[in-house]
Amino acid sequence: MKPNYNRIYQDLLQKQYPEKLECPKIREQLDKLDSTEEILKLNEKLFKQSKETSKTNQQLKTYDKKTMMKFLNYQKKHDLSTSFMSRKYNISRTTFSKWKKILEEELQNNS
């Protein structure tokens, strides 16, 4: 069971930033919250964060399987190194390596 992020963000915006709910782009993004990547994009768009907050949040991020596969398929498709992906998405090289190990079979099936 996972949280209903659409509902969470709608309630939050309704209480704190009702004017943002009127924006069609934000409403559209609210309807597409099906992966961790989409949730993080929306959060970044809505709330500007300081470097300290960003660093703390980075340590607490978790990714769903769909998002992990998306990153790994992108890496494979474009023949990118783990170091490059790590810098681009601000995710540790160790994390990428762990994902590859965990999802190795599914990555091979997608080829």
Side-chain angles (χ1 to χ4, degrees):
M1 193 169 143
K2 68 181 196 177
N4 184 347
Y5 288 106
N6 188 324
R7 180 67 183 232
I8 292 170
Y9 276 102
Q10 281 188 359
D11 290 346
L12 180 71
L13 289 172
Q14 217 166 14
K15 289 179 182 177
Q16 293 183 353
Y17 307 102
E19 69 280 355
K20 288 186 179 184
L21 264 176
E22 295 174 16
C23 177
K25 286 185 180 180
I26 290 177
R27 291 194 69 69
E28 182 181 322
Q29 266 192 309
L30 275 172
D31 294 334
K32 293 191 311 181
L33 296 179
D34 62 341
S35 71
T36 307
E37 185 180 21
E38 297 299 326
I39 294 165
L40 293 173
K41 282 180 185 178
L42 177 65
N43 198 50
E44 208 172 276
K45 190 177 221 178
L46 294 175
F47 312 108
K48 302 297 178 198
Q49 298 176 350
S50 67
K51 284 189 177 187
E52 285 180 25
T53 308
S54 182
K55 185 176 181 179
T56 304
N57 286 346
Q58 183 63 32
Q59 294 172 347
L60 302 173
K61 283 182 184 174
T62 60
Y63 293 90
D64 59 350
K65 190 175 179 179
K66 180 178 177 182
T67 306
M68 287 189 266
M69 287 298 292
K70 186 173 179 180
F71 284 138
L72 293 173
N73 284 327
Y74 179 82
Q75 178 184 15
K76 191 174 184 179
K77 179 180 176 183
H78 297 285
D79 197 29
L80 301 171
S81 70
T82 304
S83 296
F84 176 81
M85 293 292 288
S86 174
R87 286 188 307 271
K88 180 174 179 165
Y89 294 107
N90 201 20
I91 301 171
S92 76
R93 290 178 297 137
T94 310
T95 301
F96 271 108
S97 298
K98 186 166 60 172
W99 290 353
K100 279 184 184 178
K101 190 174 183 179
I102 293 169
L103 302 169
E104 182 177 11
E105 190 175 307
E106 288 183 48
L107 282 171
Q108 289 175 353
N109 292 339
N110 287 343
S111 296

